[in-house]
Amino acid sequence: MLNFVISDLHVMDRSQKFLFNSDKETAFCRFSEVIFESKGNLILAGDIFDFTGMTPCQNGNLEFFHEVLSSSQLNQEAMNLAGTFRSTKQLLLACLAVYPRFFEVLSKLAEQKRLIYIPGNHDCDFLRSSSQDDLADVLGVAHDCIEWTRQYEKGFSFVVSHGNQFDPPNNTDRGCQNPGFVFTSALYHAVLP
């Protein structure tokens, strides 16, 4: 059986041209046809969803906006989003609303038990079983249809990991609150808006 590996798609609920977008969704759907035809597995090797880019820092974003921007530059909608915390399921549903074909493909692969997921540092929410259950629910599949692992190995010659465990600022062994998570969250919710 063939294994196909994809990493770092960075699916978010807003369009970032340099990350996942509708063109990349179309390319992913075409690529999935090869996976289905070959009866292969899809290994998602982390950072498929950019939850860090969708989750605001717990403190400081609103103060940052007021300190850095003049009153004429303040964007109330961006400020409101920057202060809103959403659950993993809410984040997934927001992504589904923007990229339904992407989720359709994942659902079909999961139904056939051909979807393997290795959480990375941007989608480290999936280290929790409750968040894994959220993805299964959003995909509309049984919870055991997705294989979750930290590293995928097939014999001695095929090993897949995300690699963040080798990068101290992005290591998720103690959870998502690492310096990389905080930096990315600040970037997306304070600097870019």
Side-chain angles (χ1 to χ4, degrees), residues 54-125:
M54 296 172 61
T55 304
C57 295
Q58 292 186 354
N59 299 310
N61 277 346
L62 297 179
E63 293 86 353
F64 178 88
F65 278 120
H66 287 287
E67 191 71 31
V68 176
L69 301 174
S70 68
S71 59
S72 64
Q73 294 174 307
L74 291 174
N75 178 328
Q76 192 61 46
E77 182 182 350
M79 289 176 22
N80 290 342
L81 283 174
T84 304
F85 178 81
R86 296 179 287 176
S87 69
T88 303
K89 191 165 202 170
Q90 290 170 317
L91 294 171
L92 289 167
L93 290 171
C95 290
L96 170 64
V98 179
Y99 301 110
R101 294 179 304 144
F102 173 74
F103 280 83
E104 183 180 326
V105 169
L106 292 183
S107 179
K108 287 179 182 178
L109 285 164
E111 284 172 353
Q112 297 175 15
K113 296 191 175 191
R114 294 167 47 201
L115 183 62
I116 300 160
Y117 206 115
I118 301 168
N121 52 304
H122 285 248
D123 50 12
C124 54
D125 290 21

Side-chain angles (χ1 to χ4, degrees), residues 147-164:
E147 181 181 336
W148 295 93
T149 185
R150 292 296 298 236
Q151 181 168 291
Y152 182 81
E153 299 177 30
K154 198 72 167 174
F156 293 107
S157 60
F158 187 73
V159 177
V160 181
S161 69
H162 181 65
N164 63 298

Side-chain angles (χ1 to χ4, degrees), residues 9 15-26 99:
L9 287 178
S15 178
Q16 298 289 335
K17 291 181 181 177
F18 58 95
L19 297 173
F20 200 74
N21 57 39
S22 60
D23 291 337
K24 291 178 183 174
E25 179 186 36
T26 299
Y99 301 110

